[in-house]
Amino acid sequence: MTIHEQQSEIQQEAKLFFSRFLLEWYQGQKRDLPWRRHRNPYYIWISEIMLQQTRVDTVIPYFNRFIERFPTVESLADAPEEEVLKCWEGLGYYSRARNLQHAAKQVKEQYGGQVPNDRDAVFGLKGVGPYTAGAILSIAFNRPEPAVDGNVMRVLSRYFLIEDDIAKGPTRVAMERLAAELIPEGEASHFNQALMELGALVCTPKSPRCLPCPVMEHCAARLAGCETSLPVKTKAKPPRPEER
């Protein structure tokens, strides 16, 4: 066996270990979040838009109030914009709410009020980027689509000792490809949520909790002693202030 073949075999073992033990950990440690109590793609979509740039604890009461007021795609599509913005008040980034309502109208008019189970259709919704599309398709429909956000890139950077700048497009594409390879057959919904959960609760930005981490045994960054220096990320320009 060549050195390249040995390295490839080790890498494959690390991938299999990661997927297996991450899923086992998630089943016992996952948080009870309101959008996880359903496989309703509309609820999952709402939660993912709200969670952009907003903490989970902040989102929970907003999510509950929002779906109580707008329980279906049609109710959101037909609501006055001011009412939607009022329900959003306090979450900030009001363009998210406007895009969400615009997309709800698309779903009502083009797909009969049912969130589509189709990659191109979901990508075509206003305000839905690669991460949100992957989250909707994988979590709601169990489609083997990657859902790669900052939490996920941090986990993958550390576990596989990836030192490429995660702020750059080619790195994100490579991360999405890697994340897709890790999804066990038939487990896309749970696996992607597990990966997000690990980044949120254990593999945190400044002080990763390596000891209780279910995949620490094969974490390349931990073994190299550089887990706190990853991921590599250049600073983005601050967002412009947004008026309602």
Side-chain angles (χ1 to χ4, degrees), residues 162-213:
I162 298 169
E163 297 176 291
D164 298 323
D165 184 353
I166 65 169
K168 297 188 180 300
T171 305
R172 172 176 282 277
V173 171
M175 290 277 194
E176 289 173 346
R177 187 164 55 245
L178 173 59
E181 292 173 3
L182 294 169
I183 298 172
E185 186 175 355
E187 293 284 0
S189 181
H190 288 151
F191 178 80
N192 281 352
Q193 291 180 87
L195 194 47
M196 298 170 195
E197 196 82 332
L198 189 72
L201 300 181
V202 178
C203 197
T204 51
K206 294 182 179 178
S207 301
R209 299 169 56 232
C210 293
L211 286 178
C213 178

Side-chain angles (χ1 to χ4, degrees), residues 196-233:
M196 298 170 195
E197 196 82 332
L198 189 72
L201 300 181
V202 178
C203 197
T204 51
K206 294 182 179 178
S207 301
R209 299 169 56 232
C210 293
L211 286 178
C213 178
V215 295
M216 66 171 286
E217 185 178 333
H218 288 281
C219 178
R222 185 191 68 82
L223 293 171
C226 61
E227 65 273 12
T228 57
S229 65
L230 293 173
V232 174
K233 183 180 181 181

Side-chain angles (χ1 to χ4, degrees), residues 34-53:
W35 46 88
R36 285 184 177 159
R37 299 169 192 165
H38 314 271
R39 290 291 286 270
N40 185 325
Y42 172 64
Y43 291 176
I44 291 165
W45 176 22
I46 296 294
S47 72
E48 290 298 337
I49 298 298
M50 286 187 169
L51 286 165
Q52 292 171 8
Q53 301 160 308

